Amino acid sequence: MNKENYKSGFVAVIGRPNVGKSTLMNNLIGQKVAIMSDKPQTTRNKIMGVLTQDDAQILFIDTPGIHKPKHKLGEYMVKEAEGSLREVDVILFVVDVTAEMGPGERYILDNLANVRTPVILTVNKIDRIEKPKLFPIIEKYTSQFQFAAVVPISALDHTNFEGLVAEIKTYLEPGPQYYPEDMITDQPERLVIAELIREKVLHLTKEEIPHAILVDIEEIATRPNDDLYVRAVIYVERDSQKGIVIGAGGHLLKDIGRLARADIENLLGSKVYLDLWVKVKKDWRNRANVLKSFGFD
C-alpha cells in the first residue's frame, strides 16, 4: 500500500428509488450490505460500504431514494438522502437508462443545484439498451446540469466499474485509511441482519406487503457450540398482513427464515439459528414515537 499518495473520502450514491443504487454499492465492495429488491424505496437508512484498494479507501453511502414522502417514515428517508449531499466528497447521481427522465430526476437536479460537491452522472443498466440510444439520453441530462463526469455502467454485470472508481479517485483528497482492509461496512451487525431478513420478506410477499414491514433484532447470542442464536420480530401494520407473512401452515415464514439464514451465515461466517416471529404494530410508519424507538429520528 502506497501511504504517501493514499486517498480517501466519502461518496454519496443518490437517485430515484429503484435505479440500482444498492446493487451498485454491493457489487463495488463485493459483499451484500444493502438490501436489493424490485420494489422502490427499499433502502431506509444510510448504509455505508467500504472499498479498500492499494491507493485509496472509498466510503460509499447508499442513501434512501429521493422521492415525495407519503408518511413520516418517508419524510425520514428523504431527509437522510438529502442530508448526505452536504457531508461527502463526491456524489454519484445514478439514473436508469431504460426509464424516461421524469419529475423525480428533475427534483434531484434541483437539489444538486445548491451543492458544490462534484457530481458524477452514473448511467446505469446500459446492458439493457442498444449503444446508439445511450448518447441522446446522456445529452438530455448533461444539458440540464454541469456534471463533473459521466460514466455509463451496468451495476448488475459489473460493467465499467474500474472506470467509475478511477473517476471517483480523481476528486478525492489525500487522506488516511479510516477502516481495516477487511471491513466492508460501518453498520451494526443487528441492522445488517434485520435488513437481510426484510429483503426476503419483500421478495417472497410480492406486491401484497409493500412497505409495511419492519424487522427488529431482539437478541443475538452465541451458544455453547459457537452457533449464533438470532431472535427477530417482523412487524406489520395489520392482522391481514401477519397472515400473509406467515403463510399457509407457516410455510412462507419458513422460506423467509431459510433464505435469510443463508445470507446471514455468509456475512458472519458462522452457523446461525434464526428464530422469527411476526407481530402487528398498527400504522407504525405514521407514529413518530414508534419510529423513534426503532432508530428513525
Side-chain angles (χ1 to χ4, degrees):
M1 183 180 294
N2 186 355
K3 291 290 185 183
E4 191 177 328
N5 299 312
Y6 202 78
K7 289 184 171 185
S8 59
F10 293 82
V11 178
V13 185
I14 69 165
R16 235 179 24 165
N18 213 27
V19 295
K21 300 184 300 295
S22 297
T23 303
L24 172 60
M25 191 182 76
N26 287 338
N27 287 348
L28 275 168
I29 67 171
Q31 178 65 280
K32 182 188 286 188
V33 294
I35 74 171
M36 297 179 289
S37 171
D38 56 1
K39 299 173 178 64
Q41 299 165 30
T42 304
T43 302
R44 288 180 181 163
N45 302 81
K46 288 192 293 187
I47 307 289
M48 192 169 78
V50 183
L51 174 65
T52 304
Q53 297 187 338
D54 288 342
D55 59 346
Q57 186 171 76
I58 305 173
L59 311 170
F60 291 97
I61 300 171
D62 176 30
T63 63
I66 297 176
H67 61 285
K68 188 174 181 180
K70 296 179 181 177
H71 40 63
K72 287 189 181 297
L73 175 62
E75 291 172 9
Y76 165 85
M77 290 160 62
V78 172
K79 187 175 75 172
E80 283 282 281
E82 293 178 350
S84 66
L85 302 183
R86 297 183 291 274
E87 303 167 357
V88 297
D89 304 290
V90 180
I91 296 169
L92 299 187
F93 177 27
V94 184
V95 299
D96 179 351
V97 78
T98 68
E100 288 289 324
M101 179 194 287
E105 284 82 9
R106 293 188 183 93
Y107 176 75
I108 294 171
L109 288 171
D110 287 343
N111 274 269
L112 292 174
N114 303 315
V115 175
R116 294 186 178 182
T117 309
V119 181
I120 298 174
L121 179 65
T122 310
V123 186
N124 191 23
K125 305 185 184 180
I126 61 169
D127 54 304
R128 297 190 186 178
I129 66 163
E130 297 167 4
K131 200 169 182 179
K133 294 180 179 178
L134 178 61
F135 300 105
I137 295 169
I138 291 174
E139 194 173 9
K140 189 177 286 188
Y141 281 96
T142 54
S143 67
Q144 297 193 30
F145 188 85
Q146 189 68 42
F147 292 100
V150 178
V151 182
I153 65 158
S154 169
L156 198 61
D157 294 345
H158 299 70
T159 302
N160 205 18
F161 275 12
E162 285 185 14
L164 180 60
V165 171
E167 196 63 53
I168 290 168
K169 287 177 185 177
T170 64
Y171 299 100
L172 297 184
E173 299 289 336
Q177 179 180 310
Y178 291 101
Y179 295 100
E181 288 180 30
D182 59 351
M183 188 167 175
I184 58 167
T185 183
D186 71 332
Q187 293 301 306
E189 198 173 73
R190 285 172 178 263
L191 187 143
V192 178
I193 291 172
E195 288 290 88
L196 291 174
I197 295 167
R198 189 165 66 93
E199 178 186 56
K200 304 313 174 195
V201 179
L202 289 173
H203 277 313
L204 293 177
T205 54
K206 308 297 180 189
E207 299 303 317
E208 298 163 297
I209 308 281
H211 300 285
I213 292 294
L214 177 77
V215 179
D216 184 43
I217 306 301
E218 291 194 334
E219 183 184 352
I220 298 179
T222 304
R223 292 183 157 181
N225 61 357
D226 288 334
D227 287 0
L228 205 64
Y229 170 78
V230 177
R231 185 173 71 247
V233 178
I234 301 169
Y235 286 101
V236 293
E237 292 185 314
R238 298 193 299 272
D239 291 323
S240 59
Q241 294 168 342
K242 180 178 178 179
I244 291 169
V245 173
I246 293 172
H251 288 301
L252 191 67
L253 188 61
K254 287 176 184 174
D255 287 343
I256 290 167
R258 175 176 54 80
L259 294 171
R261 186 176 63 250
D263 270 1
I264 297 165
E265 288 180 343
N266 185 50
L267 181 74
L268 302 180
S270 63
K271 287 269 188 181
V272 172
Y273 179 85
L274 185 57
D275 190 8
L276 290 182
W277 297 80
V278 185
K279 296 181 181 180
V280 178
K281 198 173 280 288
K282 301 284 187 185
D283 196 30
W284 65 265
R285 285 181 293 175
N286 276 311
R287 292 164 61 186
N289 61 326
V290 174
L291 290 171
K292 191 169 185 178
S293 71
F294 287 119
F296 300 107
D297 294 322

